Coordinates of all heavy atoms in Angstrom, one line a residue:
N134 N 119.2 99.4 106.5 CA 120.2 98.8 105.6 C 119.5 97.8 104.7 O 120.1 97.7 103.6 CB 121.2 98.1 106.6 CG 122.6 98.6 106.2 OD1 122.8 99.0 105.1 ND2 123.5 98.5 107.1
F139 N 108.5 97.2 97.4 CA 107.1 97.7 97.4 C 106.5 97.9 96.0 O 107.3 98.1 95.1 CB 107.0 99.0 98.2 CG 108.0 100.0 97.9 CD1 107.6 100.9 96.8 CD2 109.1 100.2 98.6 CE1 108.6 101.9 96.5 CE2 110.0 101.2 98.2 CZ 109.8 102.1 97.2
E156 N 109.9 89.3 98.3 CA 110.7 89.1 99.6 C 111.2 87.7 99.8 O 112.3 87.5 100.1 CB 109.8 89.7 100.7 CG 110.4 89.6 102.2 CD 109.4 89.8 103.2 OE1 108.6 88.9 103.6 OE2 109.4 90.9 103.8
N159 N 114.0 86.8 97.4 CA 115.3 87.3 97.8 C 115.9 86.8 99.0 O 117.1 86.6 99.2 CB 115.2 88.8 97.8 CG 115.2 89.5 96.5 OD1 116.3 89.6 95.8 ND2 114.1 90.0 96.1
Y184 N 92.8 84.6 104.2 CA 92.9 83.2 103.8 C 94.1 82.4 104.2 O 94.2 81.4 104.7 CB 92.6 83.2 102.2 CG 92.5 81.9 101.7 CD1 91.2 81.2 101.5 CD2 93.6 81.1 101.2 CE1 91.0 80.0 100.9 CE2 93.5 79.8 100.7 CZ 92.2 79.3 100.6 OH 92.1 78.0 100.0
G199 N 119.0 107.8 99.8 CA 120.0 106.6 99.7 C 119.5 105.3 100.1 O 120.2 104.3 100.1
Q200 N 118.1 105.2 100.4 CA 117.6 103.9 100.8 C 117.5 103.0 99.6 O 117.2 103.4 98.5 CB 116.0 104.1 101.2 CG 115.2 102.9 101.4 CD 115.8 102.0 102.6 OE1 115.9 102.5 103.7 NE2 116.0 100.8 102.3
E209 N 106.7 104.2 87.5 CA 106.5 105.6 87.4 C 106.7 106.2 88.7 O 106.0 105.9 89.7 CB 105.2 106.0 86.7 CG 105.1 105.3 85.3 CD 103.9 105.9 84.5 OE1 103.6 107.1 84.6 OE2 103.3 105.2 83.7
N233 N 108.2 108.3 83.1 CA 108.6 109.0 84.3 C 109.5 108.3 85.3 O 109.3 108.2 86.5 CB 107.3 109.3 85.1 CG 106.3 110.1 84.2 OD1 106.6 111.1 83.6 ND2 105.1 109.5 84.2
K237 N 120.1 106.9 88.6 CA 121.5 107.4 88.6 C 122.4 106.3 88.2 O 123.5 106.4 87.6 CB 122.0 108.1 89.8 CG 121.2 109.4 90.2 CD 121.9 110.0 91.5 CE 120.9 110.9 92.2 NZ 119.9 110.2 93.1
Y241 N 118.9 96.2 87.8 CA 118.3 95.1 87.1 C 116.9 95.4 86.8 O 116.2 95.9 87.8 CB 118.4 93.9 88.1 CG 117.8 92.6 87.6 CD1 118.5 91.6 87.0 CD2 116.3 92.5 87.7 CE1 117.9 90.5 86.5 CE2 115.8 91.3 87.1 CZ 116.5 90.3 86.7 OH 115.9 89.2 86.2
Y255 N 106.9 84.2 89.0 CA 106.7 82.7 88.8 C 107.7 82.3 87.9 O 108.4 81.2 88.2 CB 105.3 82.4 88.3 CG 105.2 81.0 87.7 CD1 105.1 79.9 88.6 CD2 105.2 80.7 86.4 CE1 104.9 78.6 88.1 CE2 105.1 79.5 85.9 CZ 105.0 78.3 86.8 OH 104.9 77.0 86.4
E260 N 113.2 79.7 86.8 CA 114.6 80.0 86.2 C 115.6 79.6 87.3 O 116.7 79.2 86.9 CB 114.8 81.4 85.7 CG 114.0 81.8 84.5 CD 113.6 83.2 84.3 OE1 114.2 84.0 85.1 OE2 112.8 83.5 83.4
Q264 N 112.1 76.1 94.6 CA 110.7 75.5 94.9 C 109.7 76.5 95.3 O 110.1 77.4 96.1 CB 110.9 74.5 96.1 CG 109.7 73.6 96.1 CD 109.9 72.7 97.4 OE1 110.9 72.3 97.8 NE2 108.7 72.3 97.8
A276 N 97.2 87.2 92.9 CA 97.6 88.5 92.0 C 97.3 88.3 90.7 O 96.6 89.3 90.0 CB 99.1 88.8 92.2
T288 N 94.3 92.3 79.1 CA 95.7 92.3 79.2 C 96.2 90.8 79.6 O 97.4 90.7 79.7 CB 96.0 93.2 80.5 OG1 95.3 92.8 81.6 CG2 95.8 94.7 80.1
A296 N 100.9 80.1 84.2 CA 101.4 80.2 85.6 C 100.4 79.9 86.5 O 100.6 79.2 87.6 CB 102.0 81.7 85.7
L313 N 86.5 83.8 92.3 CA 85.2 84.4 92.3 C 85.0 85.0 93.7 O 84.6 86.2 94.0 CB 84.1 83.6 91.8 CG 83.0 84.3 91.1 CD1 83.6 85.2 90.0 CD2 82.0 83.3 90.5
D324 N 80.4 100.8 102.1 CA 80.8 101.7 103.2 C 81.8 102.8 102.7 O 82.3 103.5 103.4 CB 81.7 100.9 104.2 CG 81.4 99.5 104.3 OD1 80.3 99.1 104.1 OD2 82.3 98.7 104.7
F325 N 82.0 102.9 101.4 CA 83.0 103.9 100.9 C 82.3 105.2 100.6 O 81.2 105.2 100.1 CB 83.7 103.4 99.7 CG 84.6 102.2 100.0 CD1 84.5 101.0 99.3 CD2 85.7 102.4 100.8 CE1 85.3 100.0 99.7 CE2 86.6 101.4 101.1 CZ 86.3 100.1 100.5
T326 N 83.0 106.3 101.0 CA 82.5 107.7 100.6 C 82.8 107.8 99.1 O 83.7 107.1 98.6 CB 83.1 108.7 101.4 OG1 84.6 108.6 101.1 CG2 83.0 108.6 102.9
E328 N 84.8 109.9 97.8 CA 86.2 110.3 97.8 C 87.0 109.0 97.8 O 88.0 108.8 97.2 CB 86.6 111.1 98.8 CG 86.2 112.6 98.8 CD 84.7 112.8 99.2 OE1 84.1 111.9 99.8 OE2 84.2 113.9 99.0
Q329 N 86.6 108.1 98.7 CA 87.3 106.7 98.8 C 87.1 105.9 97.6 O 88.0 105.4 97.1 CB 86.8 105.9 100.0 CG 87.2 106.6 101.3 CD 86.5 106.0 102.5 OE1 85.4 105.6 102.5 NE2 87.3 105.9 103.7
L330 N 85.9 106.0 97.0 CA 85.6 105.1 95.8 C 86.5 105.5 94.7 O 87.1 104.6 94.0 CB 84.2 105.3 95.4 CG 83.1 104.4 96.0 CD1 81.7 104.6 95.2 CD2 83.5 102.9 95.8
L333 N 90.1 104.3 95.3 CA 90.4 102.9 95.7 C 91.5 102.3 94.8 O 92.5 101.6 95.3 CB 89.1 102.0 95.5 CG 88.1 101.9 96.6 CD1 87.1 100.9 96.2 CD2 88.9 101.5 97.9
A348 N 91.1 105.6 87.2 CA 90.7 104.8 88.4 C 89.6 103.7 88.0 O 89.1 103.8 87.0 CB 90.0 105.8 89.4
D363 N 75.7 111.2 90.4 CA 75.7 112.6 90.7 C 76.8 112.9 91.7 O 77.7 113.8 91.5 CB 74.4 113.1 91.1 CG 73.4 113.1 90.0 OD1 73.7 112.9 88.8 OD2 72.1 113.2 90.3
L380 N 92.3 115.4 83.1 CA 91.3 114.4 82.8 C 91.2 113.3 83.9 O 92.2 113.0 84.5 CB 91.7 113.6 81.5 CG 90.9 112.4 81.1 CD1 89.5 112.9 80.6 CD2 91.6 111.7 80.0
I395 N 82.1 103.9 81.9 CA 83.1 104.9 82.3 C 82.5 106.2 82.5 O 81.7 106.6 81.7 CB 84.2 104.9 81.0 CG1 85.1 103.6 81.1 CG2 85.1 106.1 81.2 CD1 86.0 103.5 80.0

Side-chain angles (χ1 to χ4, degrees):
N134 231 334
F139 49 86
E156 178 188 76
N159 281 288
Y184 185 91
Q200 172 67 53
E209 302 195 34
N233 306 306
K237 293 184 204 82
Y241 178 98
Y255 167 78
E260 289 157 9
Q264 198 190 328
T288 55
L313 215 50
D324 335 328
F325 293 116
T326 64
E328 285 81 10
Q329 287 171 324
L330 270 189
L333 270 185
D363 292 345
L380 176 71
I395 287 171

